[in-house]
Amino acid sequence: MTREKLVVIGGVAAGMSAASRARRRNPELEIMVLEKGRHVSYSACGLPFYISGQIANPDDLIVYTQDFFRRKRDIDVQLETEVTRIEPGRKIVHALRTGSQHVTIPYDKLVIATGASPAIAIPGADLPGVFTATDLKGTSALRRFLDERRPTTAVIVGSGYIGLEFADAFARQGLRVTMLGRSPVLLEGFEPEIAGQAEEVLQSNGVQVKKNCAVNSITSSPLHHELFVHHSSGSDTAGVVLLATGLVPQTSLAEDAGIRIGSSGAIAVDERMLTSVNSIYAAGDCTETTHLVSGRPVYFPLGTTANKQGRVAGENAAGGFAQFHGIVGTLMTKAFELEIARTGLSMGEARAAGLAPESVTIHSTSHAKYLGGKPLVATLIWSRESLRLLGFQVAGPEGAAKRVDAAAVALHAKLRLEDLLHLDLGYAPPFAPVWEALLIAASEAVKKGRRA
Ligand SMILES: Cc1cc2nc3c(=O)[nH]c(=O)nc-3n(C[C@H](O)[C@H](O)[C@H](O)COP(=O)(O)OP(=O)(O)OC[C@H]3O[C@@H](n4cnc5c(N)ncnc54)[C@H](O)[C@@H]3O)c2cc1C
């Protein structure tokens, strides 16, 4: 009897979670993963730490190898195999092996986990010395360049969380860093009081931050020793340039196969991660999801989501039943000693969703002052009309980021300000002040609401 066959396209967070979950659900299934790169199952989230030198060996970022999946999970991982077309009518995919050999592979169930690619629509983005660092290949090339050419200056184009993490990484390597952001604030999606803390920590560590700088092009000196980044406020010179200008979902295979693309530009899926085409699931950075606070479809590509969605897609593709309901937009990052995190909606996002938001910003400490507690800033956002929590953001040292987790749970539970006041959050002098930042912020929000 022929075994039912699951084919997975893409072998990182979403793809390998799908394949592994499917194996656990159905030991009889034939499972094949097609990955165009040379690695599977690595932590893209750890890439900045390879550049900073905190991780010396890139192999440490690889969670499991091709061989592990073959031996331990009976999953056939085909590396350097790029899928070029899906034919849903015939239930086959076309692929190119090592760039040239054309193969067709039949499937009964298919999971698309093609991720995202860097947005690099800037003339000069292909010059030597200009890098993206969204995958192991690109980041290894950057590492080699730093080791061999030893540049002393870097320009980072983009002021999102990935740009921030690489600014820290370059600075730790002794480079003088300039960060160019297109918008008037750093870290789009963060409130000015929180993003301002990030800007301060960058500047106090020698990173020059320039905002309102839309980059037009990059040029280089004749032997490429110097790169010139031209932008709306002038130009900057550097020995190495990193483009951290955002991610674009990889949807072309899905689009060509007639799969519906959602309003955010990523693949539309239902709660079981099923696309609009029968037997084809999708998960991870190539898909959109529902924001559970606004109720709207969003593109919010993160590893934590990709892993969960992959599990759900794998479970369903193997004959089980699982659902992924959506996200509340929790994101955390770190630059130097400062931790920065958010969950829920920003004021701008809440306004766009018609949720009549209000906000309050409070100043607290990481833990008891007599034990060396450090300053911490938090912003709480709520709806004037429903008094529901809409978002919470925090910046501070030593465990500040994980403080948003309590707020994330509150968002899932749709708690209101009054509910927050009663939360029994942990306290002991080494960990927190008596009044935890979320509770202080909620109390201030209630007072502000009463005054209005
Ligand atoms: C620097 C950095 C830091 C990050 N930090 C965090 C963090 O702290 N926390 C967090 O939650 N997230 C973080 N992320 C995001 C996280 O890494 C991604 O959300 C996650 O890797 C997405 O997994 P994925 O499997 O959906 O896609 P990807 O990791 O993009 O994998 C997709 C794979 O599909 C393959 N592929 C694409 N097209 C084809 C094709 N046609 N044929 C065959 N193979 C194909 C690609 O080669 C790729 O290997 C970070 C990302 C970066 C770049």
Side-chain angles (χ1 to χ4, degrees):
M1 202 181 85
T2 51
R3 294 158 80 196
E4 183 155 310
K5 182 167 181 174
L6 168 66
V7 171
V8 178
I9 311 173
V12 188
M16 293 322 298
S17 296
S20 298
R21 186 68 196 175
R23 167 58 66 234
R24 259 177 240 121
R25 179 71 180 76
N26 185 348
E28 302 305 320
L29 202 60
E30 185 183 344
I31 304 176
M32 182 182 272
V33 176
L34 308 174
E35 166 54 55
K36 72 176 174 187
R38 298 174 70 173
H39 305 279
V40 283
S41 189
Y42 66 85
S43 167
C45 313
L47 294 172
F49 308 102
Y50 176 38
I51 296 303
S52 70
Q54 287 159 284
I55 297 170
N57 184 350
D59 288 349
D60 291 348
L61 292 173
I62 296 170
V63 188
Y64 296 118
T65 61
Q66 177 189 33
D67 188 48
F68 169 88
F69 283 108
R70 200 182 304 272
R71 281 187 299 106
K72 298 282 186 193
R73 297 202 178 152
D74 186 22
I75 294 171
D76 179 9
V77 175
Q78 305 269 323
L79 297 177
E80 297 185 89
T81 304
E82 178 171 7
V83 174
T84 52
R85 193 153 62 96
I86 303 167
E87 275 194 69
R90 295 170 65 201
K91 283 198 158 182
I92 55 169
V93 298
H94 296 258
L96 279 180
R97 271 210 183 113
T98 53
S100 56
Q101 189 199 350
H102 177 253
V103 289
T104 55
I105 297 157
Y107 67 83
D108 295 296
K109 297 282 165 52
L110 184 69
V111 175
I112 303 175
T114 44
S117 51
I120 46 168
I122 297 172
D126 53 351
L127 283 168
V130 181
F131 294 89
T132 57
T134 54
D135 61 14
L136 198 50
K137 189 174 167 205
T139 311
S140 298
L142 170 60
R143 180 72 268 168
R144 270 196 307 281
F145 185 88
L146 295 177
D147 291 342
E148 287 164 14
R149 299 285 284 268
R150 305 225 160 262
T152 55
T153 50
V155 165
I156 295 177
V157 183
S159 61
Y161 84 96
I162 292 181
L164 194 83
E165 290 178 9
F166 279 102
D168 174 318
F170 281 146
R172 282 176 201 266
Q173 290 285 303
L175 278 83
R176 265 183 298 118
V177 185
T178 303
M179 186 184 231
L180 303 175
R182 190 176 46 179
S183 48
V185 285
L186 221 65
L187 288 172
E188 231 169 278
F190 281 84
E191 295 306 309
E193 294 85 354
I194 306 298
Q197 301 288 313
E199 191 170 339
E200 261 175 44
V201 83
L202 287 175
Q203 281 167 344
S204 64
N205 282 279
V207 175
Q208 201 184 2
V209 178
K210 296 188 180 179
K211 296 174 284 187
N212 294 308
C213 287
V215 171
N216 311 314
S217 67
I218 304 167
T219 55
S220 72
S221 60
L223 291 175
H224 306 299
H225 288 305
E226 279 186 318
L227 291 153
F228 310 105
V229 183
H230 309 284
H231 51 78
S232 48
S233 306
S235 76
D236 281 279
T237 306
V240 63
V241 173
L242 179 75
L243 300 178
T245 39
L247 293 170
V248 183
Q250 289 268 34
T251 57
S252 55
L253 282 177
E255 274 179 84
D256 294 347
I259 290 170
R260 192 169 82 77
I261 302 301
S263 56
S264 73
I267 300 172
V269 284
D270 67 11
E271 288 198 333
R272 299 187 68 206
M273 306 311 294
L274 188 62
T275 68
S276 61
V277 170
N278 198 17
S279 301
I280 304 184
Y281 297 81
D285 280 11
C286 59
T287 64
E288 68 178 22
T289 189
T290 302
H291 200 298
L292 295 172
V293 183
S294 67
R296 294 183 171 189
V298 284
Y299 183 57
F300 205 86
L302 278 179
T304 170
T305 307
N307 277 289
K308 293 185 194 105
Q309 291 181 331
R311 263 174 84 106
V312 169
E315 174 75 21
N316 291 321
F321 183 89
Q323 290 180 308
F324 181 77
H325 300 297
I327 57 155
V328 294
T330 309
L331 180 151
M332 49 189 67
T333 186
K334 185 166 187 268
F336 305 99
E337 70 277 13
L338 187 75
E339 300 181 13
I340 309 130
R342 61 171 290 199
T343 188
L345 302 173
S346 66
M347 285 294 281
E349 290 159 350
R351 255 185 233 114
L355 291 172
E358 281 286 348
S359 76
V360 70
T361 295
I362 60 110
H363 295 261
S364 175
T365 54
S366 55
H367 57 276
K369 278 190 188 154
Y370 52 79
L371 282 182
K374 304 254 175 57
L376 182 147
V377 184
T379 298
L380 186 138
I381 298 161
W382 74 96
S383 163
R384 228 181 0 258
E385 285 160 5
S386 65
L387 297 181
R388 217 182 107 188
L389 175 68
L390 297 179
F392 186 65
Q393 305 190 356
V394 64
E398 299 168 358
K402 285 299 275 178
R403 291 193 136 98
V404 299
D405 281 351
V409 174
L411 288 168
H412 276 277
K414 300 189 174 9
L415 295 192
R416 301 166 79 237
L417 292 181
E418 287 288 336
D419 303 319
L420 295 179
L421 295 177
H422 302 289
L423 292 179
D424 182 14
L425 302 180
Y427 159 67
F431 308 113
V434 182
W435 288 93
E436 172 61 38
L438 180 62
L439 302 184
I440 301 174
S443 162
E444 289 301 313
V446 169
K447 281 189 218 155
K448 190 171 173 181
R450 283 195 193 121
R451 282 197 301 271

